[in-house]
Amino acid sequence: MDDSCEFCRLAGGGQSAHVLYEDEWTIAFLDRNPATRGHTLVAPRAHVADVLTSDDPDAAAVFETVRTVASALEAVLEPNGFSTFHTTGPLVGTVDHAHVHLVPRFADDDVSLSLARRKLDPDEAAALTAQVQTLL
């Protein structure tokens, strides 16, 4: 636990939040600045900067909690779907504690998750596939 981390304090009970779910490994709470009704953050209790590089139990627990909370939000809010994302690194976030955004989506919401797209180059794709497969 990192006492200077807002999410660590929240997971330890030292900071208030609207907690939807918690277990031994994770905590899920409503985002203070939600994009939509029900926008939830799911974080490991342990101070981990990136869930993708954390120990398997932490990562597995976070994504299991995402699934559990999404089912409950689905039943309560009846959204048209969800946008679920995890970001890491200094270019994409201001909180240095791993978390997943679970954003219920509605036909009339103004959420925009836009990605600039380009056509996949077959040679580049083949080279990247070969490189990644050697590590898996």
Side-chain angles (χ1 to χ4, degrees):
M1 182 158 159
D2 180 344
D3 291 335
S4 66
C5 173
E6 174 183 1
F7 286 11
C8 283
R9 289 191 308 270
L10 195 147
Q15 189 162 321
S16 66
H18 294 279
V19 176
L20 301 180
Y21 176 85
E22 57 187 320
D23 60 24
E24 177 184 357
W25 297 96
T26 64
I27 186 165
F29 52 95
L30 294 177
D31 192 306
R32 283 192 198 143
N33 300 297
T36 65
R37 183 170 183 238
H39 181 169
T40 301
L41 302 179
V42 178
R45 287 189 173 278
H47 185 76
V48 175
D50 184 346
V51 74
L52 299 178
T53 59
S54 69
D55 291 340
D56 287 340
D58 287 330
V62 166
F63 286 101
E64 181 60 25
T65 296
V66 167
R67 189 196 61 74
T68 298
V69 173
S71 292
L73 287 169
E74 173 80 33
V76 171
L77 299 175
E78 299 179 354
N80 298 104
F82 290 91
S83 289
T84 305
F85 58 95
H86 168 264
T87 57
T88 63
L91 293 177
V92 295
T94 58
V95 176
D96 188 28
H97 188 116
H99 58 284
V100 173
H101 289 259
L102 178 58
V103 183
R105 298 302 304 272
F106 303 93
D108 63 349
D109 72 37
D110 61 355
V111 173
S112 175
L113 301 174
S114 178
L115 302 173
R117 303 286 191 150
R118 63 182 177 87
K119 196 167 200 131
L120 182 64
D121 177 274
D123 294 333
E124 181 184 334
L128 180 59
T129 299
Q131 288 176 306
V132 170
Q133 287 177 344
T134 63
L135 298 175
L136 298 176

